[in-house]
mmCIF file of all heavy atoms in Angstrom:
data_model
loop_
_atom_site.group_PDB
_atom_site.id
_atom_site.type_symbol
_atom_site.label_atom_id
_atom_site.label_comp_id
_atom_site.label_asym_id
_atom_site.label_seq_id
_atom_site.Cartn_x
_atom_site.Cartn_y
_atom_site.Cartn_z
ATOM 1 N N ASP A 181 -19.232 -12.406 1.591
ATOM 2 C CA ASP A 181 -18.903 -13.584 2.401
ATOM 3 C C ASP A 181 -17.411 -13.910 2.333
ATOM 4 O O ASP A 181 -16.793 -14.295 3.334
ATOM 5 C CB ASP A 181 -19.716 -14.787 1.933
ATOM 6 C CG ASP A 181 -21.189 -14.685 2.305
ATOM 7 O OD1 ASP A 181 -21.532 -13.828 3.149
ATOM 8 O OD2 ASP A 181 -22.001 -15.449 1.740
ATOM 9 N N ALA A 182 -16.831 -13.754 1.138
ATOM 10 C CA ALA A 182 -15.401 -14.037 0.970
ATOM 11 C C ALA A 182 -14.549 -13.024 1.727
ATOM 12 O O ALA A 182 -13.552 -13.381 2.370
ATOM 13 C CB ALA A 182 -15.037 -14.036 -0.509
ATOM 14 N N VAL A 183 -14.944 -11.759 1.651
ATOM 15 C CA VAL A 183 -14.216 -10.712 2.375
ATOM 16 C C VAL A 183 -14.294 -10.963 3.880
ATOM 17 O O VAL A 183 -13.283 -10.882 4.593
ATOM 18 C CB VAL A 183 -14.784 -9.318 2.021
ATOM 19 C CG1 VAL A 183 -14.203 -8.245 2.939
ATOM 20 C CG2 VAL A 183 -14.481 -8.981 0.554
ATOM 21 N N LEU A 184 -15.464 -11.305 4.367
ATOM 22 C CA LEU A 184 -15.640 -11.567 5.798
ATOM 23 C C LEU A 184 -14.847 -12.792 6.238
ATOM 24 O O LEU A 184 -14.303 -12.822 7.352
ATOM 25 C CB LEU A 184 -17.119 -11.780 6.112
ATOM 26 C CG LEU A 184 -17.472 -12.027 7.586
ATOM 27 C CD1 LEU A 184 -17.161 -10.791 8.432
ATOM 28 C CD2 LEU A 184 -18.947 -12.420 7.726
ATOM 29 N N GLY A 185 -14.739 -13.791 5.373
ATOM 30 C CA GLY A 185 -14.166 -15.076 5.779
ATOM 31 C C GLY A 185 -12.740 -15.338 5.349
ATOM 32 O O GLY A 185 -12.253 -16.462 5.493
ATOM 33 N N HIS A 186 -12.016 -14.320 4.866
ATOM 34 C CA HIS A 186 -10.694 -14.615 4.299
ATOM 35 C C HIS A 186 -9.632 -14.929 5.349
ATOM 36 O O HIS A 186 -8.512 -15.310 4.998
ATOM 37 C CB HIS A 186 -10.218 -13.480 3.371
ATOM 38 C CG HIS A 186 -9.763 -12.228 4.065
ATOM 39 N ND1 HIS A 186 -10.623 -11.201 4.391
ATOM 40 C CD2 HIS A 186 -8.534 -11.826 4.469
ATOM 41 C CE1 HIS A 186 -9.943 -10.223 4.965
ATOM 42 N NE2 HIS A 186 -8.674 -10.580 5.027
ATOM 43 N N HIS A 187 -9.985 -14.810 6.641
ATOM 44 C CA HIS A 187 -9.071 -15.232 7.698
ATOM 45 C C HIS A 187 -9.602 -16.449 8.456
ATOM 46 O O HIS A 187 -9.053 -16.817 9.504
ATOM 47 C CB HIS A 187 -8.812 -14.093 8.684
ATOM 48 C CG HIS A 187 -7.802 -13.095 8.197
ATOM 49 N ND1 HIS A 187 -6.465 -13.396 8.072
ATOM 50 C CD2 HIS A 187 -7.952 -11.806 7.780
ATOM 51 C CE1 HIS A 187 -5.823 -12.336 7.612
ATOM 52 N NE2 HIS A 187 -6.700 -11.358 7.426
ATOM 53 N N GLU A 188 -10.634 -17.081 7.950
ATOM 54 C CA GLU A 188 -11.099 -18.343 8.526
ATOM 55 C C GLU A 188 -10.151 -19.465 8.106
ATOM 56 O O GLU A 188 -9.626 -19.447 6.986
ATOM 57 C CB GLU A 188 -12.526 -18.660 8.066
ATOM 58 C CG GLU A 188 -13.571 -17.619 8.447
ATOM 59 C CD GLU A 188 -13.925 -17.620 9.931
ATOM 60 O OE1 GLU A 188 -13.366 -18.448 10.680
ATOM 61 O OE2 GLU A 188 -14.763 -16.781 10.327
ATOM 62 N N LEU A 189 -9.912 -20.423 8.994
ATOM 63 C CA LEU A 189 -8.967 -21.502 8.744
ATOM 64 C C LEU A 189 -9.642 -22.857 8.877
ATOM 65 O O LEU A 189 -10.588 -23.014 9.655
ATOM 66 C CB LEU A 189 -7.793 -21.410 9.728
ATOM 67 C CG LEU A 189 -7.011 -20.089 9.707
ATOM 68 C CD1 LEU A 189 -5.978 -20.070 10.829
ATOM 69 C CD2 LEU A 189 -6.345 -19.868 8.361
ATOM 70 N N TYR A 190 -9.145 -23.839 8.133
ATOM 71 C CA TYR A 190 -9.767 -25.159 8.129
ATOM 72 C C TYR A 190 -9.772 -25.823 9.503
ATOM 73 O O TYR A 190 -10.599 -26.690 9.773
ATOM 74 C CB TYR A 190 -9.057 -26.059 7.111
ATOM 75 C CG TYR A 190 -9.623 -25.953 5.710
ATOM 76 C CD1 TYR A 190 -10.191 -24.754 5.249
ATOM 77 C CD2 TYR A 190 -9.608 -27.037 4.846
ATOM 78 C CE1 TYR A 190 -10.703 -24.648 3.975
ATOM 79 C CE2 TYR A 190 -10.124 -26.938 3.559
ATOM 80 C CZ TYR A 190 -10.668 -25.745 3.135
ATOM 81 O OH TYR A 190 -11.186 -25.646 1.868
ATOM 82 N N ASN A 191 -8.832 -25.446 10.382
ATOM 83 C CA ASN A 191 -8.774 -26.060 11.709
ATOM 84 C C ASN A 191 -9.697 -25.371 12.714
ATOM 85 O O ASN A 191 -9.720 -25.731 13.896
ATOM 86 C CB ASN A 191 -7.340 -26.066 12.244
ATOM 87 C CG ASN A 191 -6.762 -24.658 12.390
ATOM 88 O OD1 ASN A 191 -7.467 -23.660 12.256
ATOM 89 N ND2 ASN A 191 -5.460 -24.600 12.652
ATOM 90 N N GLY A 192 -10.450 -24.368 12.258
ATOM 91 C CA GLY A 192 -11.410 -23.699 13.125
ATOM 92 C C GLY A 192 -10.817 -22.613 14.010
ATOM 93 O O GLY A 192 -11.513 -22.039 14.850
ATOM 94 N N LYS A 193 -9.533 -22.291 13.803
ATOM 95 C CA LYS A 193 -8.868 -21.316 14.668
ATOM 96 C C LYS A 193 -8.729 -19.939 14.003
ATOM 97 O O LYS A 193 -7.949 -19.101 14.468
ATOM 98 C CB LYS A 193 -7.490 -21.844 15.092
ATOM 99 C CG LYS A 193 -7.571 -23.102 15.950
ATOM 100 C CD LYS A 193 -6.188 -23.581 16.367
ATOM 101 C CE LYS A 193 -6.289 -24.837 17.227
ATOM 102 N NZ LYS A 193 -4.950 -25.332 17.665
ATOM 103 N N GLY A 194 -9.475 -19.737 12.923
ATOM 104 C CA GLY A 194 -9.424 -18.439 12.263
ATOM 105 C C GLY A 194 -10.431 -17.477 12.865
ATOM 106 O O GLY A 194 -10.997 -17.718 13.932
ATOM 107 N N TYR A 195 -10.671 -16.383 12.160
ATOM 108 C CA TYR A 195 -11.627 -15.384 12.649
ATOM 109 C C TYR A 195 -12.360 -14.764 11.459
ATOM 110 O O TYR A 195 -11.909 -14.897 10.324
ATOM 111 C CB TYR A 195 -10.898 -14.311 13.481
ATOM 112 C CG TYR A 195 -9.870 -13.464 12.742
ATOM 113 C CD1 TYR A 195 -10.236 -12.286 12.076
ATOM 114 C CD2 TYR A 195 -8.516 -13.829 12.717
ATOM 115 C CE1 TYR A 195 -9.301 -11.510 11.413
ATOM 116 C CE2 TYR A 195 -7.576 -13.058 12.055
ATOM 117 C CZ TYR A 195 -7.972 -11.900 11.413
ATOM 118 O OH TYR A 195 -7.037 -11.127 10.756
ATOM 119 N N PRO A 196 -13.534 -14.164 11.682
ATOM 120 C CA PRO A 196 -14.120 -13.760 12.974
ATOM 121 C C PRO A 196 -15.042 -14.810 13.599
ATOM 122 O O PRO A 196 -15.458 -14.655 14.748
ATOM 123 C CB PRO A 196 -14.932 -12.521 12.599
ATOM 124 C CG PRO A 196 -15.393 -12.794 11.202
ATOM 125 C CD PRO A 196 -14.252 -13.532 10.542
ATOM 126 N N ASN A 197 -15.371 -15.903 12.882
ATOM 127 C CA ASN A 197 -16.418 -16.811 13.368
ATOM 128 C C ASN A 197 -15.929 -18.221 13.668
ATOM 129 O O ASN A 197 -16.746 -19.119 13.888
ATOM 130 C CB ASN A 197 -17.561 -16.867 12.346
ATOM 131 C CG ASN A 197 -18.262 -15.531 12.201
ATOM 132 O OD1 ASN A 197 -18.605 -14.891 13.192
ATOM 133 N ND2 ASN A 197 -18.467 -15.089 10.959
ATOM 134 N N ASN A 198 -14.618 -18.442 13.668
ATOM 135 C CA ASN A 198 -14.050 -19.760 13.994
ATOM 136 C C ASN A 198 -14.682 -20.885 13.177
ATOM 137 O O ASN A 198 -14.957 -21.973 13.690
ATOM 138 C CB ASN A 198 -14.203 -20.059 15.487
ATOM 139 C CG ASN A 198 -13.553 -19.007 16.367
ATOM 140 O OD1 ASN A 198 -14.248 -18.326 17.121
ATOM 141 N ND2 ASN A 198 -12.255 -18.853 16.270
ATOM 142 N N LEU A 199 -14.893 -20.620 11.890
ATOM 143 C CA LEU A 199 -15.469 -21.634 11.009
ATOM 144 C C LEU A 199 -14.468 -22.750 10.765
ATOM 145 O O LEU A 199 -13.248 -22.533 10.795
ATOM 146 C CB LEU A 199 -15.879 -21.009 9.679
ATOM 147 C CG LEU A 199 -16.904 -19.866 9.728
ATOM 148 C CD1 LEU A 199 -17.217 -19.372 8.314
ATOM 149 C CD2 LEU A 199 -18.181 -20.316 10.431
ATOM 150 N N GLU A 200 -14.983 -23.942 10.490
ATOM 151 C CA GLU A 200 -14.126 -25.084 10.178
ATOM 152 C C GLU A 200 -14.233 -25.435 8.704
ATOM 153 O O GLU A 200 -15.014 -24.830 7.960
ATOM 154 C CB GLU A 200 -14.508 -26.276 11.059
ATOM 155 C CG GLU A 200 -14.284 -25.998 12.547
ATOM 156 C CD GLU A 200 -14.609 -27.204 13.412
ATOM 157 O OE1 GLU A 200 -15.191 -28.180 12.877
ATOM 158 O OE2 GLU A 200 -14.282 -27.167 14.611
ATOM 159 N N GLU A 201 -13.463 -26.432 8.284
ATOM 160 C CA GLU A 201 -13.300 -26.767 6.866
ATOM 161 C C GLU A 201 -14.609 -26.798 6.090
ATOM 162 O O GLU A 201 -14.745 -26.142 5.060
ATOM 163 C CB GLU A 201 -12.586 -28.110 6.734
ATOM 164 C CG GLU A 201 -12.407 -28.561 5.297
ATOM 165 C CD GLU A 201 -11.611 -29.841 5.187
ATOM 166 O OE1 GLU A 201 -11.016 -30.266 6.204
ATOM 167 O OE2 GLU A 201 -11.574 -30.425 4.085
ATOM 168 N N GLY A 202 -15.577 -27.538 6.543
ATOM 169 C CA GLY A 202 -16.815 -27.685 5.788
ATOM 170 C C GLY A 202 -17.710 -26.470 5.811
ATOM 171 O O GLY A 202 -18.689 -26.403 5.058
ATOM 172 N N GLU A 203 -17.381 -25.502 6.648
ATOM 173 C CA GLU A 203 -18.223 -24.315 6.790
ATOM 174 C C GLU A 203 -17.698 -23.112 6.005
ATOM 175 O O GLU A 203 -18.380 -22.106 5.864
ATOM 176 C CB GLU A 203 -18.316 -23.924 8.276
ATOM 177 C CG GLU A 203 -18.877 -25.018 9.166
ATOM 178 C CD GLU A 203 -18.747 -24.683 10.633
ATOM 179 O OE1 GLU A 203 -17.632 -24.311 11.064
ATOM 180 O OE2 GLU A 203 -19.771 -24.783 11.358
ATOM 181 N N ILE A 204 -16.473 -23.217 5.508
ATOM 182 C CA ILE A 204 -15.832 -22.091 4.822
ATOM 183 C C ILE A 204 -16.106 -22.180 3.329
ATOM 184 O O ILE A 204 -15.891 -23.221 2.701
ATOM 185 C CB ILE A 204 -14.314 -22.086 5.080
ATOM 186 C CG1 ILE A 204 -14.041 -22.045 6.578
ATOM 187 C CG2 ILE A 204 -13.651 -20.904 4.385
ATOM 188 C CD1 ILE A 204 -12.573 -22.250 6.936
ATOM 189 N N GLY A 205 -16.576 -21.094 2.741
ATOM 190 C CA GLY A 205 -16.884 -21.066 1.316
ATOM 191 C C GLY A 205 -15.647 -21.156 0.448
ATOM 192 O O GLY A 205 -14.520 -20.900 0.896
ATOM 193 N N GLN A 206 -15.844 -21.510 -0.828
ATOM 194 C CA GLN A 206 -14.718 -21.677 -1.747
ATOM 195 C C GLN A 206 -13.922 -20.388 -1.919
ATOM 196 O O GLN A 206 -12.685 -20.394 -1.892
ATOM 197 C CB GLN A 206 -15.222 -22.148 -3.117
ATOM 198 C CG GLN A 206 -14.095 -22.416 -4.112
ATOM 199 C CD GLN A 206 -14.615 -22.853 -5.473
ATOM 200 O OE1 GLN A 206 -15.622 -22.345 -5.950
ATOM 201 N NE2 GLN A 206 -13.933 -23.795 -6.104
ATOM 202 N N PHE A 207 -14.622 -19.272 -2.110
ATOM 203 C CA PHE A 207 -13.924 -18.000 -2.317
ATOM 204 C C PHE A 207 -13.070 -17.651 -1.100
ATOM 205 O O PHE A 207 -11.924 -17.211 -1.237
ATOM 206 C CB PHE A 207 -14.919 -16.879 -2.579
ATOM 207 C CG PHE A 207 -15.506 -16.876 -3.964
ATOM 208 C CD1 PHE A 207 -15.323 -17.930 -4.833
ATOM 209 C CD2 PHE A 207 -16.250 -15.793 -4.408
ATOM 210 C CE1 PHE A 207 -15.864 -17.930 -6.107
ATOM 211 C CE2 PHE A 207 -16.796 -15.764 -5.681
ATOM 212 C CZ PHE A 207 -16.615 -16.840 -6.526
ATOM 213 N N ALA A 208 -13.628 -17.811 0.099
ATOM 214 C CA ALA A 208 -12.879 -17.488 1.316
ATOM 215 C C ALA A 208 -11.662 -18.402 1.465
ATOM 216 O O ALA A 208 -10.587 -17.960 1.895
ATOM 217 C CB ALA A 208 -13.785 -17.605 2.537
ATOM 218 N N SER A 209 -11.820 -19.680 1.100
ATOM 219 C CA SER A 209 -10.703 -20.623 1.170
ATOM 220 C C SER A 209 -9.577 -20.210 0.236
ATOM 221 O O SER A 209 -8.389 -20.313 0.575
ATOM 222 C CB SER A 209 -11.177 -22.034 0.815
ATOM 223 O OG SER A 209 -12.113 -22.515 1.758
ATOM 224 N N ILE A 210 -9.945 -19.751 -0.963
ATOM 225 C CA ILE A 210 -8.946 -19.304 -1.931
ATOM 226 C C ILE A 210 -8.257 -18.034 -1.451
ATOM 227 O O ILE A 210 -7.026 -17.917 -1.484
ATOM 228 C CB ILE A 210 -9.608 -19.071 -3.304
ATOM 229 C CG1 ILE A 210 -10.052 -20.412 -3.906
ATOM 230 C CG2 ILE A 210 -8.648 -18.353 -4.262
ATOM 231 C CD1 ILE A 210 -10.888 -20.288 -5.166
ATOM 232 N N LEU A 211 -9.043 -17.072 -0.965
ATOM 233 C CA LEU A 211 -8.458 -15.812 -0.498
ATOM 234 C C LEU A 211 -7.544 -16.026 0.699
ATOM 235 O O LEU A 211 -6.521 -15.342 0.834
ATOM 236 C CB LEU A 211 -9.550 -14.808 -0.138
ATOM 237 C CG LEU A 211 -10.390 -14.244 -1.284
ATOM 238 C CD1 LEU A 211 -11.230 -13.067 -0.781
ATOM 239 C CD2 LEU A 211 -9.523 -13.803 -2.455
ATOM 240 N N ALA A 212 -7.898 -16.963 1.575
ATOM 241 C CA ALA A 212 -7.056 -17.245 2.741
ATOM 242 C C ALA A 212 -5.655 -17.655 2.304
ATOM 243 O O ALA A 212 -4.648 -17.211 2.872
ATOM 244 C CB ALA A 212 -7.699 -18.342 3.592
ATOM 245 N N ILE A 213 -5.586 -18.497 1.288
ATOM 246 C CA ILE A 213 -4.297 -18.951 0.761
ATOM 247 C C ILE A 213 -3.542 -17.789 0.117
ATOM 248 O O ILE A 213 -2.357 -17.570 0.376
ATOM 249 C CB ILE A 213 -4.507 -20.086 -0.260
ATOM 250 C CG1 ILE A 213 -4.923 -21.367 0.463
ATOM 251 C CG2 ILE A 213 -3.247 -20.321 -1.086
ATOM 252 C CD1 ILE A 213 -5.327 -22.498 -0.457
ATOM 253 N N CYS A 214 -4.227 -17.037 -0.725
ATOM 254 C CA CYS A 214 -3.576 -15.946 -1.462
ATOM 255 C C CYS A 214 -3.097 -14.853 -0.514
ATOM 256 O O CYS A 214 -2.026 -14.272 -0.707
ATOM 257 C CB CYS A 214 -4.544 -15.365 -2.492
ATOM 258 S SG CYS A 214 -5.101 -16.563 -3.732
ATOM 259 N N ASP A 215 -3.888 -14.577 0.508
ATOM 260 C CA ASP A 215 -3.552 -13.552 1.490
ATOM 261 C C ASP A 215 -2.283 -13.922 2.248
ATOM 262 O O ASP A 215 -1.353 -13.112 2.369
ATOM 263 C CB ASP A 215 -4.724 -13.379 2.457
ATOM 264 C CG ASP A 215 -4.484 -12.307 3.491
ATOM 265 O OD1 ASP A 215 -4.217 -11.158 3.103
ATOM 266 O OD2 ASP A 215 -4.575 -12.604 4.694
ATOM 267 N N VAL A 216 -2.216 -15.134 2.766
ATOM 268 C CA VAL A 216 -1.051 -15.575 3.531
ATOM 269 C C VAL A 216 0.167 -15.718 2.627
ATOM 270 O O VAL A 216 1.287 -15.328 3.005
ATOM 271 C CB VAL A 216 -1.350 -16.900 4.259
ATOM 272 C CG1 VAL A 216 -0.084 -17.474 4.896
ATOM 273 C CG2 VAL A 216 -2.417 -16.685 5.323
ATOM 274 N N PHE A 217 -0.031 -16.250 1.421
ATOM 275 C CA PHE A 217 1.089 -16.421 0.495
ATOM 276 C C PHE A 217 1.730 -15.078 0.169
ATOM 277 O O PHE A 217 2.961 -14.943 0.169
ATOM 278 C CB PHE A 217 0.608 -17.103 -0.787
ATOM 279 C CG PHE A 217 1.692 -17.287 -1.815
ATOM 280 C CD1 PHE A 217 2.666 -18.256 -1.640
ATOM 281 C CD2 PHE A 217 1.738 -16.486 -2.949
ATOM 282 C CE1 PHE A 217 3.681 -18.427 -2.584
ATOM 283 C CE2 PHE A 217 2.739 -16.649 -3.890
ATOM 284 C CZ PHE A 217 3.714 -17.629 -3.707
#
């Protein structure tokens, strides 16, 4: 789930599923930050 969601963004404009803040898991949220940083 974290691998699939590491490009999801809190504003819902990420991919692949356009998830929003409350829908994104903790691991994916952490990876999104680490990946961009």
Side-chain angles (χ1 to χ4, degrees):
D181 288 346
V183 170
L184 182 65
H186 74 271
H187 280 291
E188 300 287 359
L189 302 174
Y190 272 31
N191 61 9
K193 296 181 180 180
Y195 63 88
N197 295 313
N198 303 116
L199 301 181
E200 297 182 350
E201 178 176 349
E203 302 171 310
I204 303 171
Q206 183 181 39
F207 284 10
S209 296
I210 291 172
L211 291 191
I213 288 173
C214 299
D215 182 57
V216 172
F217 178 74

